Amino acid sequence: MEPVVSPQVTAELNQILSNLVLGDNEIRANAEKAVNDRLAQTPQLYLLALSQFATSADTEVMRSFSLVLLRRLLFRSSSDQRLPLYDHLSAETLSTIEKLLLRTLLHESSTVVKRRAVDTIADLANNSMSRGRPWHALQQQAFSMAQSEDPSIRETAYRVFAGSPNLIMDLQPESVLAILQKGLQDPQSVEVRHAALRAAVAFLSASDIAQQAQTLPLLYPMLNTLPYLPHAHLPGFLSTLTPLASSNPSLFEHHLSALLKFLPGLILPSADAGPTPTVSRPNPNGAPSFSFPPSPVATPDASAGTDDEDEETREVRKAALEFMVSLSEARPGMVRRVDGWTAAVVRGCLEGMGEFPEEDIDVWLEADPAEDPTDDNYPHVFEQALDRISIALGGKAVLPPAFQYIPGMLVNHDWRLRHAGLMAISAIAEGTNKIMQKELGKVVECVNHFPACKVCMHDLTCVTLLSLRLVTPMFGDHHPRVRYAACQCIGQLCTDLEEVIQAEYHQQLLNALIHTLEAEEARVHAHAAAALINFCEGVERETLLPYLDPIVERLLKLLNPGQPGKTPKRYVQEQVITTLAMVADASEATFAKHYTAIMPLLLNVLQNANTAEYDKLRMKAMECAGLIAIAVGREVFRPDANAFIELLMRVQNIPAETHDAMLGHYLIATWAKVCQALGPEFEPYLPVVMPPLLTAAAAKANLSVYEEDEAPDAKDGWETVSMDGRQVGIKTSAIEEKCQAFETLVIYCSTLGSRFAPYLSQSLELVLPSLGFWFHDGVREASALLVPMLLSCGKNSGTLTPRMVSASFSQIVHFINIETDPTFLSSLYKCYTDSLRVVVPQGSAATVVLPQEVYDATIEATKRQLQLIADRRKARSGKPASEVAEDREDLMLVEEMEDFALEDMGKLVAMLDTDSDNTTNPLTIAISSVRELGLHLEQWDSEDEGVES
């Protein structure tokens, strides 16, 4: 093919690209400027040059880089033009670029460059077709390449189909099946089969229901690629199938039995009978005498899972487990109906949780939990998978197979299996808490007879809360990591069975935790203190009071051991201070008797812990002192209030760059607690706290947009989400601080009332637009609470103006009109109603304060929302009964939220129409009619876990 640009342009481009890949920032910046200048002056010429360079450059690096750059530049909008460069190119230029890229696709010898070419070509094809410009030549060439004798060319063809499934989307189903099945059954190359699998997944993912129904036979050759693969390739194939299992689980419904014959063998370690035991050597391979899990075939000991199992096999296990868990999460009811599916996943998780190196215990004991080097070897994947499967399938499905093995694990000679058994109870607690709560009383009688009661291992009534009887003895285990796991397990149960377990079993739980606070090992007694926090979050004050003195006594002893040369570890101090704060919060005024022993310690920390390494300790001390101040009340706290506030002001004046980024978060929270403790006496400090608070509340969402081929930066406090083919990074740490600032405004305004008036105008200016702050629901909910509070503050202080009232209701109506979330829609209507109650004089009509245009807009917005809810409910009622049963819990939650919105909507309508009988109001009748459109799933005869058939 003849050159499409002159040698001079090619030489100049070569120099620019060479500079772009250099490490020197100044040279690279100049090169970027040169690229932008050339594109601004002669975009067609330089895009053609890039396309040609992708074919003719001497090195793989430059050919690959030119393809990446071409892909990025084609669809980049320039600063002075809204349309991407692609849309400014002539048809002739586009045709030439396409020809050059097709040449690269066919003749490039480097695998790396060829894959870059596929990415660029697929992106160009997708964007061209979305603009009504099909690329027929690419379709023809890809089909031709799929017939090539060269496996690498066939692989490239299927990679193109995977990147741009639209190339085959409009073909006849039999043609699609033929071309994809050919690749899936390629006899020569695993790479071709994998590329064809990617193409098949992309095609099915992009297909509508009708297309999927016509191409369902494709699943057979797709799944048949798995059994004959070498282990090295299985993780890649399974990872390719997993997204399809998550997005289109019903495609796999008729293949579950076949998958169940294949996948469990991958997620369980291979069997190895080992040496023959003798009387003198009952465990010749070092395994514990109890083999877990019970099986007709003996399994190797836990150490084999890490010492002998190679990385390849471990990756296969993880990939197979992820596929099974993802499919279970996507369609729980579907997999519940397959006998043995849940048991296989649970057993695989339990096996994996017991497999980690028996590292030097001294390393674990000495490590700070936040920087534990042994954590890298811990089997987090299996523990998280058990947690996910429990949440997805629920207690009825997960508890029986789990408790078939857990009791045996807890009495195993190998401490790792005892540890795994405890962590397993902790992992399944969240997903099985409904069943556990329901069966709580029944199990207690049964566990008293365990293990003599043989039914316990199989009967659900007995299985559900065997955990209490099983866990508490583990606090006496000789191994510190097992006792640590017991603390973790109890803490999780207290969270997931909140209030129920604290009320019924506080004696057993607290006796175990209080005793463990005296454990010799810092890791263990610190974790016992952490578990106490979970207990206190769901305990009634009266329940906690009998244990208050021994808890506080032991916590103070951990802070100050009173032994020469024995200094508690810093993470222990941080944990103990946090636990004291929660104990104070739960015990309320009764904590006052310990006030004089604790508050001086906390003030001493704030006074003296000034260096960076003590930042976390200082923050915990601030938090604890604030919670204690609230608990003991104003009278007890007042003598120390000034000293504490002066210390907080000193902390606030520390330069931001010299301290922990979280210090501002803790400072805002502590000021709020001081306000709650002092009440109206806090007013003089508003000039100190409000400026930084308003700055935090005014923060904008910090976003970073990455192109599809860019890897998002891994930065603390940032999260990435996918939007329109791009990765968008959101600085969540700043948004969380903004939410905290709004929640603190709620505290200040509600506590101080009219005394908050100097900040009324500034606060309203921030709050009203934040009703539409889509990046954080907490900001929006706090804003909805603040509007009526601020109006009340203005009314009571005489600073409320008609303009403030009009602006407030106009903004509320605006956001009601565009809201799509029924949960927040309810909050908006409540905000409107509460605001009306503030500003409308008693006995007057709402129209006295509402401008006519706002009143009319309210009625129209309400009609619109009623129509939207009605449409959604009609659509749900048209679903097949099996699908409704499958999604019953989710649908119940959605309709419950809609009912709340309808209820708050009705309250507002009643307030707006005080002149007539509300029962005859057309909007009231419409609200009632829309409510009746619901599925009323709560009336169905169903069990806790939903319909199983």
Side-chain angles (χ1 to χ4, degrees), residues 297-428:
V297 181
T299 57
D301 74 306
S303 63
T306 42
D307 295 339
D308 302 327
E309 186 179 56
D310 57 28
E311 183 65 24
E312 183 180 289
T313 304
R314 285 197 292 274
E315 291 305 310
V316 170
R317 290 178 68 187
K318 291 176 184 177
L321 186 62
E322 178 61 29
F323 176 85
M324 294 186 78
V325 173
S326 296
L327 189 56
S328 302
E329 289 176 320
R331 284 288 297 277
M334 180 179 75
V335 302
R336 281 196 208 107
R337 293 191 291 269
V338 180
D339 187 36
W341 181 278
T342 306
V345 178
V346 169
R347 179 179 169 181
C349 294
L350 294 175
E351 288 263 16
M353 288 174 66
E355 299 169 3
F356 55 101
E358 190 165 6
E359 69 283 325
D360 186 353
I361 188 62
D362 292 334
V363 176
W364 181 84
L365 286 172
E366 289 301 315
D368 185 317
E371 301 170 357
D372 184 357
T374 68
D375 192 57
D376 293 338
N377 297 321
Y378 186 79
H380 293 288
V381 169
F382 296 98
E383 186 176 315
Q384 291 163 3
L386 184 60
D387 177 44
R388 291 165 58 194
I389 201 75
S390 301
I391 293 171
L393 301 185
K396 285 191 175 180
V398 171
L399 281 171
F403 274 85
Q404 181 182 353
Y405 303 126
I406 287 173
M409 296 169 73
L410 294 178
V411 297
N412 199 287
H413 289 181
D414 189 334
W415 70 265
R416 288 167 295 185
L417 290 182
R418 300 197 301 276
H419 179 280
L422 289 166
M423 298 305 286
I425 295 174
S426 175
I428 65 176

Side-chain angles (χ1 to χ4, degrees), residues 774-820:
W774 317 112
F775 299 102
H776 200 297
D777 288 341
V779 173
R780 304 174 73 203
E781 292 289 353
S783 298
L785 288 172
L786 271 165
V787 174
M789 288 183 185
L790 290 169
L791 294 177
S792 177
C793 167
K795 178 182 178 182
N796 294 331
S797 63
T799 57
L800 187 65
T801 66
R803 182 175 174 274
M804 290 179 181
V805 174
S806 177
S808 297
F809 286 105
S810 295
Q811 285 285 72
I812 297 170
V813 173
H814 167 70
F815 289 113
I816 285 177
N817 190 51
I818 62 175
E819 186 54 53
T820 57

Side-chain angles (χ1 to χ4, degrees), residues 83-372:
L83 294 175
L85 290 173
Y86 174 94
D87 295 308
H88 294 280
L89 300 179
S90 66
E92 182 182 359
T93 299
L94 284 172
S95 179
T96 304
I97 290 173
E98 290 171 350
K99 289 177 182 177
L100 288 166
L101 289 174
L102 290 179
R103 178 178 175 80
T104 298
L105 190 68
L106 190 59
H107 297 290
E108 176 59 57
S109 58
S110 164
T111 301
V112 173
V113 179
K114 192 178 292 186
R115 289 183 180 178
R116 289 284 182 269
V118 168
D119 293 340
T120 302
I121 286 169
D123 205 27
L124 179 58
N126 292 333
N127 279 282
S128 295
M129 281 185 268
S130 70
R131 290 164 166 80
R133 190 178 189 277
W135 193 351
H136 297 300
L138 173 62
Q139 186 184 52
Q140 294 168 5
Q141 181 166 313
F143 269 85
S144 175
M145 292 170 67
Q147 312 300 325
S148 171
E149 294 183 1
D150 185 340
S152 68
I153 294 178
R154 297 199 300 275
E155 179 193 356
T156 300
Y158 287 106
R159 283 183 172 272
V160 170
F161 292 139
S164 184
N166 285 326
L167 292 170
I168 55 176
M169 194 63 67
D170 295 331
L171 300 178
Q172 291 296 317
E174 50 271 20
S175 300
V176 176
L177 288 170
I179 188 67
L180 292 177
Q181 188 166 334
K182 183 178 186 299
L184 291 166
Q185 297 173 342
D186 193 281
Q188 292 180 286
S189 170
V190 173
E191 286 74 18
V192 173
R193 297 201 293 276
H194 195 182
L197 183 64
R198 288 196 188 98
V201 167
F203 170 77
L204 289 171
S205 298
S207 298
D208 57 30
I209 295 176
Q211 286 174 306
Q212 287 180 351
Q214 291 177 315
T215 52
L216 266 180
L218 190 57
L219 260 293
Y220 289 97
M222 288 172 68
L223 296 176
N224 279 339
T225 60
L226 299 176
Y228 309 106
L229 280 173
H231 259 45
H233 293 280
L234 266 171
F237 276 65
L238 286 166
S239 298
T240 299
L241 283 166
T242 298
L244 185 66
S246 294
S247 61
N248 293 273
S250 57
L251 293 174
F252 295 86
E253 184 166 11
H254 300 296
H255 304 275
L256 290 178
S257 296
L259 287 168
L260 189 59
K261 293 177 182 177
F262 173 68
L263 292 173
L266 301 180
I267 64 175
L268 296 173
S270 56
D272 178 9
T276 303
T278 64
V279 174
S280 60
R281 296 183 67 215
N283 304 300
N285 59 2
S289 59
F290 174 85
S291 177
F292 164 76
S295 171
V297 181
T299 57
D301 74 306
S303 63
T306 42
D307 295 339
D308 302 327
E309 186 179 56
D310 57 28
E311 183 65 24
E312 183 180 289
T313 304
R314 285 197 292 274
E315 291 305 310
V316 170
R317 290 178 68 187
K318 291 176 184 177
L321 186 62
E322 178 61 29
F323 176 85
M324 294 186 78
V325 173
S326 296
L327 189 56
S328 302
E329 289 176 320
R331 284 288 297 277
M334 180 179 75
V335 302
R336 281 196 208 107
R337 293 191 291 269
V338 180
D339 187 36
W341 181 278
T342 306
V345 178
V346 169
R347 179 179 169 181
C349 294
L350 294 175
E351 288 263 16
M353 288 174 66
E355 299 169 3
F356 55 101
E358 190 165 6
E359 69 283 325
D360 186 353
I361 188 62
D362 292 334
V363 176
W364 181 84
L365 286 172
E366 289 301 315
D368 185 317
E371 301 170 357
D372 184 357

Side-chain angles (χ1 to χ4, degrees), residues 853-870:
E853 62 271 18
V854 173
Y855 178 89
D856 293 341
T858 303
I859 300 301
E860 290 306 312
T862 300
K863 289 178 179 178
R864 180 177 183 277
Q865 287 294 345
L866 278 171
Q867 187 62 54
L868 290 173
I869 295 174

Side-chain angles (χ1 to χ4, degrees), residues 633-649:
R634 189 185 317 166
E635 297 302 321
V636 176
F637 173 59
R638 187 181 287 117
D640 294 308
N642 286 336
F644 184 42
I645 289 171
E646 286 177 8
L647 288 168
L648 291 181
M649 291 169 65

